[in-house]
Amino acid sequence: MDLILCHTTADFDALGAAVGLTCLKPGSKIVLTGGAHPPVRDFLALHRDEYPLIERRSVNPEKIRSLMVVDTQKRDRLGKAAIWFDLPNVQEIIVYDHHFGQERDIPSTQLYIDEVGATTTLMVEELQKNNISLNSAQATVMALGIHVDTGSLTYKQSTARDALALAWLMQQGANLSVISTYRDPGLSPQLQQLLSAALEDLQYLCWRGYTIAWLTIKTDGFVPGLSSLASEIIDLTETDAVLLANEYALGENDWRLTVIGRTQIPQTNLNSLFQSHGGGGHSQAASFNLRTTDSQPILQQLLDGLKAQIPHPPTARDLMSSPVRTIRPDTTIAEAQRILLRYGHSGLSVVNSQDLLIGIISRRDLDIALHHGFSHAPVKGYMTSNLKTITPDTSLPEIESLMVTYDIGRLPVLENGQLVGIVTRTDILRELHQLTIKNLELKIKNYSQDLGLNNELEKRLTPQLWQLLTTASQEAEKRGWHLYLVGGAVRDLLLSKAENRSLMINDIDLVVDGFHKTADVGAGVELAKALQQIYQNARLEIHGAFQTAALLWHKDLVLDSLWVDIATARTEFYPYPAANPEVEASSIRQDLYRRDFTINAMALRLTSPRAGELLDFFGGFIDLQNQQVRILHANSFIEDPTRIYRGVRFAVRFGFSLEPQTETYIRYAINSGVYDRTSQENSKTPALQTRLKTELKYILAADYWQSALELLDNLGALQCIHPTLKLDVELSRQLNLLKHCLRKFDKKQILINWQMRLEVLIAYLQPEYRGKVAKNLQLVDDSIVRLEKLSQIQAEIITLLPTFEKPSQTIYLLKRYDLQTLILVALQSPRKIRRRIWQYLTNWGNIQPLLNGNDLKQLGYKPSPQYKQMLDDLLTATVDGIIKDKAEAQEFLTKHYYCLNQDLED
């Protein structure tokens, strides 16, 4: 006998999973080990005969062959059926559950636990794998299981897999009218009476911006459906969490306590809180039962535990953008509009001559003024002067309340009367999104609070490098600043954690954000100087234009060859496409906002009090999970074409794909012709010159250069090098041939491989473009000259080589050119010419004269400029087969230089 066990007081998820399992295990029977939730009980009153249910008392324990448990991992949730696990005749025990991280005490032989919204989802996925279809009754109860346990996909533990499972069940014929009836059956008359009393007795506590409610109700006996009552209290009172205790008696001297919890507070986990009392459930919903009626100390303990879980809410100081872009009241509407366009803001703060805030003007205000032709009017006539303001310590819930109550899009932050920042709707939405991402990361990766990334970083870095970061954060804290690890190091840390591998790091980017307190535009430089005083082996480089500094170690005994960039948090503006950006000091939020791709726009806070906090405003973590490269802004590729090359590099390097909209933006930017126009209109376009060469170097020096070039060509992005460049069959052949050339003729690895690959790309252009492109990319002088003269040299070689009858003629022609030039010529030449060049490089070019200068001297020839001619003649005779050994070489000299020898003897 194969049995499927549902936990006591079975809910729809347990029943739905059990029904799905009967389809996977034909002949198995379902046992409800101890009652069911009221809606499940009512459902089974009509539909029991549709499913293979049997009573526990009808089971012959001696005939049990296997036990399958759904929706729990604890013995005590299976009532008296738990003793079956110890039977000697039970050969197999399989557990299916979706409560990740719970303690287990069922002696399972197989365990299937995955973090989805409902256990039923796991069954659906197995049914799909095995191509098993369902009837309407089976699909309906399974759909009910997912609906109820995910709140119809609204609970935070819901996943895309649950949604896909529901869609499949609908295809299988799930009855929606039945689902709607039992998904939310309403409260029974008894529960309605208890609700009225509960609303009067409910006690409240406001903690860190959230409201917690709790109460104890006393009944004569067990009341089914109390979980529905707890959910109803949450909905009616709009509290954020509720703890409902029910004291009741099951018999004389048999006092019981049931506690049910519900929470909507981010980062709280009732499952872990209730486990200490032998209960459990989900992070948002959990319960437990005890043999006691003394609820007050237990409720107090739970309240204290829940309060401890609630994080400090972010304050305006954490959320605000700073410094604030301000204008004077006499600034014209047109100028204010230009400033908004430059910085991408939705409004501007207006301050007087004492820098005191007197108003705010929004983009909408400016648009209306411009529409009516008042571009030259001052903003003071259109600004809003009746302002709501906040302080740096105003909490996120308070800010939300102000914005909703007064329909305000931005709130200035004042400290001692001075404008120090501004919080906008966008800041609030980003923070709420950040909280969602944190919860998702906690769920997917089981990270601790703040993802545990600080501990993870310490674990994966060398002690010396970790000490450096610790020292840097301490120096920042001394000055009242925040310090963040940003960009690629954070991305690689998350990837290395996901793949459970060590993190190799020798290039670190740090960002100082201190404008909420005391820092000025030179904060990054000041911090770098302070560190250089501690680490005196490091070389300090300062780049004033970009407010950055770098500390460099070269083959240091402790830190090896490490490069640490330290920048002040900044924002940037591109005056025209492909230009260098103009940068201004700003906040960490603005600094991340200016970056290229979501996977590079994350920051890890290194300073207290929230060291280890991950800032991810754009879904970079999700994109890492989905293995895709997504751009932050629609115009990024128009402003900076090197981002196309960076995106391709990341995609190929990590095995990711370009997000579809990102690929669309790339193609649009290339096809728009903006790069040609900006090159013609501006003498300096660094993103199409030096910065493009840098990206090409990264790509062409990597192992994946071929795949990257193919993707760039597919996108049309090789046009950034030159409009006519395309990776066709012939260019691909030349690049492949180059690999063989480098392997065969550059065994000492003297040539720079990436540079040779780039020269092959440029050499494939028409001769009149080669030099211009090489100069535009600012290649070294040798490369520029080589590419400029390549067509002339190639024409000479192709013309002369076929006419030569002797090998020596080939040698004296080809030895005038360096190896790089000969390789470029060979790649583009007919096979006959290429073979001759190969023969020269392989054999003839390595042949030396049979005698050298010392030999000539010993033979009595006086050193003179004629030595060169003599040696050349010897080489020619050797290559052409006229002489074969030293004796013949001496005879050759005697014959051709006899008169000279005679003169020497005389």
Side-chain angles (χ1 to χ4, degrees):
M1 179 179 290
D2 299 316
L3 298 182
I4 302 169
L5 307 183
C6 296
H7 55 72
T8 55
T9 320
D11 56 15
F12 273 116
D13 187 32
L15 181 60
V19 169
L21 195 49
T22 63
C23 300
L24 287 166
K25 306 287 186 180
S28 57
K29 304 294 182 182
I30 301 172
V31 178
L32 302 180
T33 60
H37 279 199
V40 176
R41 182 194 61 210
D42 295 343
F43 175 83
L44 289 176
L46 291 176
H47 300 276
R48 177 180 292 273
D49 293 340
E50 305 281 353
Y51 314 112
L53 288 157
I54 61 173
E55 298 285 339
R56 179 178 56 82
R57 60 189 177 184
S58 67
V59 174
N60 183 348
E62 295 179 358
K63 294 185 177 181
I64 299 175
R65 182 176 55 189
S66 69
L67 293 171
M68 292 163 279
V69 182
V70 293
D71 204 34
T72 186
Q73 303 167 51
K74 305 269 292 191
R75 293 176 66 113
D76 60 7
R77 294 208 66 199
L78 294 166
K80 295 180 179 179
I83 62 174
W84 294 343
F85 294 129
D86 304 321
L87 295 173
N89 49 288
V90 174
Q91 302 171 10
E92 188 176 47
I93 301 174
I94 308 174
V95 175
Y96 297 87
D97 195 19
H98 71 124
H99 299 100
F100 198 78
Q102 278 200 350
E103 294 182 4
R104 303 191 293 275
D105 58 9
I106 295 176
S108 57
T109 57
Q110 294 181 54
L111 195 62
Y112 298 94
I113 300 176
D114 208 346
E115 208 161 8
V116 290
T119 305
T120 305
T121 297
L122 303 179
M123 298 306 162
V124 168
E125 292 174 344
E126 289 301 313
L127 290 169
Q128 290 174 309
K129 287 179 187 176
N130 290 277
N131 295 316
I132 298 174
S133 298
L134 305 177
N135 59 38
S136 178
Q138 293 164 336
T140 300
V141 72
M142 293 183 73
L144 267 168
I146 298 175
H147 269 290
V148 172
D149 244 38
T150 65
S152 294
L153 303 178
T154 62
Y155 295 162
K156 71 177 182 181
Q157 67 261 24
S158 305
T159 68
R161 292 164 63 184
D162 301 300
L164 292 171
L166 274 178
W168 184 78
L169 291 169
M170 289 179 67
Q171 292 174 338
Q172 297 294 306
N175 190 316
L176 296 182
S177 62
V178 173
I179 292 170
S180 64
T181 299
Y182 291 99
R183 184 185 64 83
D184 186 15
L187 298 180
S188 66
Q190 183 184 16
L191 289 177
Q192 290 178 20
Q193 291 179 358
L194 289 175
L195 176 62
S196 300
L199 293 176
E200 294 181 4
D201 298 335
L202 208 59
Q203 299 182 68
Y204 297 93
L205 167 71
C206 188
W207 183 256
R208 294 177 179 169
Y210 297 102
T211 302
I212 304 171
W214 72 96
L215 82 157
T216 298
I217 57 175
K218 298 182 179 182
T219 59
D220 294 334
F222 173 73
V223 178
L226 278 179
S227 59
S228 299
L229 178 60
S231 298
E232 193 72 14
I233 291 173
I234 282 257
D235 293 338
L236 289 176
T237 61
E238 296 185 351
T239 54
D240 300 298
V242 66
L243 297 172
L244 173 60
N246 177 210
E247 297 178 356
Y248 59 95
L250 286 182
E252 187 175 353
N253 298 323
D254 188 4
W255 301 98
R256 300 293 180 96
L257 172 67
T258 295
V259 178
I260 296 170
R262 295 289 185 270
T263 180
Q264 298 174 338
I265 304 173
Q267 300 185 53
T268 55
N269 190 323
L270 293 180
N271 176 46
S272 61
L273 188 62
F274 280 34
Q275 280 187 5
S276 61
H277 295 283
H282 302 291
S283 59
Q284 288 184 297
S287 63
F288 64 82
N289 298 292
L290 294 176
R291 288 182 177 272
T292 180
T293 56
D294 192 6
S295 61
Q296 294 312 305
I298 294 175
L299 278 179
Q300 187 60 53
Q301 182 184 357
L302 294 174
L303 279 171
D304 293 341
L306 185 58
K307 286 163 59 179
Q309 287 184 347
I310 298 174
H312 287 277
T315 63
R317 195 184 300 280
D318 302 311
L319 302 170
M320 68 188 187
S321 297
S322 174
V324 184
R325 205 70 54 195
T326 60
I327 56 175
R328 300 296 187 195
D330 294 327
T331 304
T332 66
I333 295 292
E335 176 63 13
Q337 181 77 354
R338 187 191 70 79
I339 294 172
L340 278 187
L341 178 64
R342 176 184 176 104
Y343 295 106
H345 294 343
S346 59
L348 291 169
S349 298
V350 185
V351 297
N352 61 19
S353 57
Q354 288 78 44
D355 288 331
L356 297 177
L357 180 70
I358 60 174
I360 284 182
I361 189 162
S362 68
R363 183 186 298 276
R364 183 173 179 274
D365 298 330
L366 294 173
D367 289 342
I368 292 173
L370 289 170
H371 176 72
H372 292 294
F374 291 100
S375 61
H376 298 291
V379 296
K380 62 185 177 184
Y382 293 87
M383 70 185 187
T384 300
S385 55
N386 184 20
L387 302 175
K388 296 290 182 184
T389 63
I390 55 179
T391 71
D393 296 323
T394 305
S395 68
L396 173 60
E398 293 173 290
I399 296 171
E400 279 189 90
S401 178
L402 278 172
M403 286 187 169
V404 172
T405 302
Y406 297 101
D407 191 22
I408 301 172
R410 56 197 59 80
L411 287 168
V413 184
L414 301 183
E415 188 171 33
N416 300 323
Q418 293 295 312
L419 180 65
V420 295
I422 193 162
V423 177
T424 67
R425 285 194 186 103
T426 302
D427 295 324
I428 299 301
L429 292 174
R430 284 179 185 164
E431 182 62 29
L432 294 175
H433 173 72
Q434 176 80 354
L435 291 174
T436 301
I437 293 299
K438 283 183 181 179
N439 288 331
L440 181 61
E441 290 163 344
L442 277 165
K443 185 167 70 172
I444 293 177
K445 285 296 166 191
N446 197 25
Y447 288 8
S448 61
Q449 186 177 6
D450 289 331
L451 309 183
L453 289 181
N454 225 30
N455 292 334
E456 195 65 32
L457 191 62
E458 181 178 4
K459 225 169 34 175
R460 292 184 181 272
L461 297 181
T462 62
Q464 300 92 328
L465 187 52
W466 174 249
Q467 182 58 50
L468 171 65
L469 294 180
T470 301
T471 303
S473 64
Q474 290 170 349
E475 290 297 316
E477 287 176 358
K478 287 180 186 177
R479 294 161 174 79
W481 304 336
H482 298 318
L483 185 65
Y484 295 89
L485 180 70
V486 299
V490 180
R491 175 200 66 220
D492 294 345
L493 170 66
L494 292 170
L495 284 174
S496 69
K497 181 171 176 62
E499 298 168 5
N500 194 28
R501 59 178 172 82
S502 298
L503 177 63
M504 302 298 294
I505 185 168
N506 54 19
D507 189 352
I508 290 177
D509 288 319
L510 300 176
V511 168
V512 180
D513 179 11
F515 289 91
H516 63 293
K517 282 203 174 180
T518 58
D520 58 20
V521 293
V525 173
E526 182 180 337
L527 180 61
K529 289 180 177 178
L531 288 174
Q532 205 269 336
Q533 292 298 312
I534 300 171
Y535 293 91
Q536 296 185 6
N537 289 339
R539 187 172 87 253
L540 175 65
E541 292 185 358
I542 298 175
H543 311 286
F546 296 101
Q547 302 160 13
T548 63
L551 291 171
L552 297 88
W553 288 262
H554 181 65
K555 295 183 179 179
D556 185 76
L557 294 177
V558 176
L559 292 169
D560 197 16
S561 296
L562 175 67
W563 185 305
V564 179
D565 275 309
I566 306 176
T568 306
R570 60 197 193 270
T571 187
E572 63 186 23
F573 174 76
Y574 287 81
Y576 54 86
N580 273 332
E582 296 176 5
V583 298
E584 297 180 7
S586 187
S587 65
I588 185 64
R589 288 170 177 268
Q590 291 296 316
D591 194 276
L592 294 177
Y593 187 73
R594 73 180 177 81
R595 293 175 183 266
D596 47 16
F597 302 99
T598 60
I599 60 174
N600 295 331
M602 296 180 284
L604 177 64
R605 183 162 163 166
L606 298 176
T607 45
S608 298
R610 295 197 306 278
E613 177 185 24
L614 179 72
L615 299 188
D616 177 17
F617 304 116
F618 313 104
F621 182 86
I622 297 298
D623 287 332
L624 283 179
Q625 296 295 311
N626 293 334
Q627 297 189 333
Q628 66 178 7
V629 177
R630 179 163 57 89
I631 198 70
L632 260 66
H633 315 293
N635 292 321
S636 283
F637 297 122
I638 288 177
E639 292 179 333
D640 188 353
T642 61
R643 286 174 174 162
I644 299 174
Y645 282 68
R646 283 170 59 81
V648 166
R649 176 157 60 89
F650 292 134
V652 177
R653 173 185 168 190
F654 298 123
F656 288 8
S657 61
L658 291 173
E659 183 259 344
Q661 185 65 65
T662 297
E663 183 174 333
T664 300
Y665 289 146
I666 291 175
R667 294 187 185 279
Y668 175 79
I670 292 169
N671 296 331
S672 69
V674 65
Y675 304 141
D676 290 337
R677 291 195 301 273
T678 195
S679 296
Q680 294 169 9
E681 296 169 1
N682 303 278
S683 59
K684 290 185 177 181
T685 53
L688 292 169
Q689 297 171 326
T690 52
R691 299 212 320 268
L692 178 58
K693 183 188 78 170
T694 299
E695 284 303 322
L696 282 165
K697 176 181 176 180
Y698 286 140
I699 289 173
L700 295 175
D703 294 337
Y704 49 78
W705 65 269
Q706 281 182 294
S707 299
L709 281 183
E710 290 170 3
L711 181 52
L712 286 168
D713 179 65
N714 180 268
L715 295 167
L718 294 180
Q719 294 179 35
C720 295
I721 301 174
H722 192 270
T724 64
L725 185 59
K726 185 166 183 57
L727 186 67
D728 57 18
V729 174
E730 174 57 23
L731 180 55
S732 297
R733 183 192 66 80
Q734 292 184 21
L735 287 166
N736 282 324
L737 202 52
L738 175 66
K739 287 194 296 185
H740 299 297
C741 292
L742 294 174
R743 188 164 55 245
K744 188 174 182 64
F745 305 127
D746 186 35
K747 294 180 180 179
K748 295 183 179 180
Q749 298 183 347
I750 297 172
L751 301 184
I752 303 173
N753 289 9
W754 73 264
Q755 186 175 298
M756 280 301 302
R757 293 179 185 122
L758 181 54
E759 289 190 28
V760 171
L761 293 176
I762 298 173
Y764 197 64
L765 300 171
Q766 290 300 310
E768 62 268 28
Y769 301 137
R770 294 168 182 167
K772 294 178 182 178
V773 171
K775 289 176 181 177
N776 184 62
L777 294 176
Q778 299 183 17
L779 300 188
V780 294
D781 290 342
D782 286 350
S783 293
I784 295 173
V785 171
R786 185 161 44 248
L787 290 164
E788 285 179 332
K789 294 183 176 181
L790 183 62
S791 60
Q792 175 186 343
I793 295 171
Q794 184 177 15
E796 180 183 24
I797 290 175
I798 290 177
T799 301
L800 293 177
L801 272 187
T803 67
F804 292 158
E805 296 179 356
K806 297 179 180 179
S808 60
Q809 294 174 291
T810 299
I811 290 175
Y812 286 111
L813 173 64
L814 299 185
K815 75 176 183 178
R816 291 154 41 191
Y817 308 116
D818 58 30
L819 176 60
Q820 297 97 311
T821 300
L822 292 178
I823 289 175
L824 292 177
V825 170
L827 296 179
Q828 293 193 354
S829 298
R831 181 175 296 179
K832 185 176 181 180
I833 300 298
R834 187 165 62 251
R835 283 179 176 173
R836 188 70 67 89
I837 295 174
W838 281 182
Q839 195 169 12
Y840 164 76
L841 293 174
T842 305
N843 298 313
W844 298 339
N846 299 319
I847 296 176
Q848 299 294 323
L850 292 171
L851 301 176
N852 56 34
N854 289 330
D855 295 328
L856 297 182
K857 190 174 181 179
Q858 290 178 4
L859 290 172
Y861 294 101
K862 186 177 180 180
S864 71
Q866 199 171 12
Y867 264 28
K868 181 179 184 306
Q869 183 63 49
M870 295 168 71
L871 294 174
D872 283 346
D873 289 346
L874 283 172
L875 176 62
T876 299
T878 303
V879 171
D880 292 340
I882 297 173
I883 58 176
K884 298 182 178 59
D885 53 36
K886 286 190 175 183
E888 291 183 358
Q890 291 179 18
E891 291 179 9
F892 178 86
L893 287 178
T894 301
K895 180 178 179 181
H896 290 87
Y897 291 93
Y898 177 78
C899 294
L900 175 62
N901 289 338
Q902 285 295 109
D903 291 340
L904 290 173
E905 290 174 2
D906 294 340

